[in-house]
Amino acid sequence: MNDLDPLAAFSALRTEEGAALLASLASYDPAGELAVATRLRRDHPAALVSAALGQARLRQRAAAKFGAEDAARMFFTPNGVEQSTRRPVAEYRAARFAALGVRSMADLCGGIGGDALALARAGIRVLAVDRDPLTAETARANAAALGLDGLIEVRCADVADVDVSGWDAVFVDPARRGGRGRIFDPEAYSPPLSWAVGAARSRPHAALKVAPGIPHEAVPEGAEAEWISDGGDVKEAVLWFGTSPGTVRATLLPGPHTLTGRGLPDPAVRPLGRYLYEPDGAVIRSHLVAEAAEEVSGGLIDASIAYITSDVLRPTPYATAYEITDQLPFGVKKLKALLRERRVGNLTVKKRGSAVEPEELRRKVKPQGPEAATVFLTRVAGAPAMLVGRPV
């Protein structure tokens, strides 16, 4: 096996010796890697030990995305861990496809198989396509490792050369990273968004995974646009075809909780009430702050700031509520004095519409004491302000 041959290194990990070596590294501590590597090289080829240690590190990283049980059996590449869909998101999307009656799917740009695995677990037969040989081989190994190879066919090919006419639906996850980092122009994706839209329109149902920052004006005519967050972090936007043309949604996981756009006008700006609501990022990205504000009978604290205020406390999955105890004009001295008086040592700083960095403010106010508080650096009716409160 050659260190410079990733495919050969990967194949070696799937031999009996490689599998045993990986199993022995299931709970190893990367901090002691040098000692572990030295010990293992006494009985195994150095290249195999290096490949196994690299795979063990990737499995540990992947546990947060795939769950510890699956990650311990799966195989990964560095890009695969970074770019694959988080398991709860993939399972949610697979459930939507299954509910549409989809029984077979062409998963184009399938990567290491994160979405294909979720689709297969939902009972959908999958053709997973990726043009990179190592990535395709990794996806094939993952299907076998999780006992899903009977439902997943992996093909190493350019997606443009794949005939999708025999499949119920298409899912396309274009590459959105290049040599210089993230790609923001959808036409610079690989493949370009326009190609993906053409492939989507060729089947009764389809979904295209795009960056959550996609401009709303770039959403193709007739597509449903859905922004998805998991645990409060916005993960992706999905363009659906064959579902609800023109609909805009924000879906929050776990749940799922889905807020659907109703074409409401922007909420009115109103005086600060007792409660401040911070909308989930998917709600903000999907431009559904008005729908979230209606849920809590609220308005905006400023026309350009996505903070909702209300006099009522009304539970909603679409925003986090805080009880506001103090409103101050911006000034470090005043805030420092207030926090000292309240004996606040556990200080959370949030900002929206302010140039001040949270860590910079924390250094200046030097919070000390047993109490906790949240301070919002923002604008109220156009004026810089500091709002102090606590989550409820």
Side-chain angles (χ1 to χ4, degrees):
M1 179 178 61
N2 189 329
D3 266 336
L4 300 178
D5 185 348
L7 268 176
F10 184 78
S11 297
L13 289 177
R14 301 191 68 201
T15 64
E16 185 175 341
E17 181 183 13
L21 192 53
L22 270 178
S24 74
L25 293 170
S27 58
Y28 96 106
D29 182 358
E33 183 169 308
L34 180 59
V36 172
T38 301
R39 174 175 55 81
L40 292 176
R41 284 171 182 156
R42 296 175 189 145
D43 301 311
H44 304 281
L48 177 59
V49 171
S50 177
L53 286 168
Q55 192 61 227
R57 288 194 300 270
L58 291 174
R59 284 180 169 182
Q60 290 185 355
R61 283 176 52 196
K65 182 173 281 191
F66 289 90
E69 184 178 347
D70 278 359
R73 294 185 289 163
M74 291 174 65
F75 294 87
F76 300 96
T77 64
N79 285 342
V81 173
E82 179 71 25
Q83 298 175 17
S84 57
T85 304
R86 184 180 290 255
R87 178 174 169 176
V89 179
E91 289 177 340
Y92 163 74
R93 181 166 40 243
R96 278 205 68 179
F97 272 121
L100 291 168
V102 171
R103 293 295 174 262
S104 67
M105 165 81 64
D107 177 10
L108 307 180
C109 311
I112 63 170
D115 282 284
L117 297 171
L119 290 162
R121 281 174 165 164
I124 297 172
R125 185 168 55 89
V126 185
L127 170 66
V129 181
D130 201 282
R131 67 182 179 184
D132 177 66
L134 177 59
T135 301
E137 192 60 32
T138 304
R140 190 173 290 113
N142 286 334
L146 299 184
L148 297 168
D149 43 341
L151 283 170
I152 300 175
E153 174 193 347
V154 179
R155 187 179 303 174
C156 184
D158 190 308
V159 295
D161 298 330
V162 176
D163 180 7
V164 299
S165 60
W167 303 86
D168 294 346
V170 164
F171 174 62
V172 189
D173 182 4
R176 296 179 297 282
R177 285 183 178 272
R180 298 182 179 180
R182 292 185 183 275
I183 297 172
F184 297 98
D185 177 8
E187 282 307 295
Y189 292 173
S190 180
L193 180 61
S194 57
W195 182 92
V197 170
R201 295 193 193 281
S202 72
R203 307 312 306 139
H205 298 291
L208 313 180
K209 178 178 171 181
V210 294
I214 186 172
H216 280 235
E217 57 270 21
V219 174
E221 183 179 354
E224 171 197 325
E226 180 179 36
W227 278 260
I228 302 174
S229 70
D230 181 29
D233 296 328
V234 183
K235 293 302 177 185
E236 61 186 59
V238 184
L239 306 179
W240 290 88
F241 295 81
T243 53
S244 304
T247 297
V248 176
R249 301 179 191 271
T251 295
L252 283 54
L253 303 174
H257 304 283
T258 297
L259 185 65
T260 304
R262 300 191 299 281
L264 300 180
D266 291 340
V269 176
R270 51 149 289 173
L272 182 69
R274 182 176 178 180
Y275 299 101
L276 184 78
Y277 290 84
E278 181 182 26
D280 184 273
V283 172
I284 295 173
R285 293 278 195 175
S286 58
H287 297 180
L288 298 182
V289 173
E291 282 76 3
E294 186 179 72
E295 291 238 333
V296 298
S297 301
L300 299 180
I301 63 170
D302 185 275
S304 61
I305 303 292
Y307 281 139
I308 300 166
T309 187
S310 177
D311 296 314
V312 300
L313 179 60
R314 190 167 294 159
T316 174
Y318 306 115
T320 302
Y322 296 82
E323 183 177 18
I324 300 302
T325 56
D326 300 273
Q327 176 181 353
L328 307 172
F330 185 83
V332 175
K333 289 184 178 180
K334 291 182 178 180
L335 179 62
K336 187 174 182 179
L338 177 66
L339 297 177
R340 186 184 302 117
E341 176 188 334
R342 302 279 172 81
R343 303 172 67 209
V344 171
N346 183 3
L347 181 65
T348 301
V349 182
K350 293 176 172 284
K351 74 166 197 169
R352 189 164 290 162
S354 172
V356 178
E357 291 301 323
E359 284 307 311
E360 176 188 352
L361 182 69
R362 285 181 57 83
R363 285 195 300 269
K364 289 181 177 180
V365 300
K366 300 175 182 176
Q368 294 181 1
E371 303 301 324
T374 300
V375 61
F376 295 87
L377 308 177
T378 186
R379 293 195 303 272
V380 175
M386 299 181 297
L387 308 178
V388 181
R390 54 180 174 268
V392 292

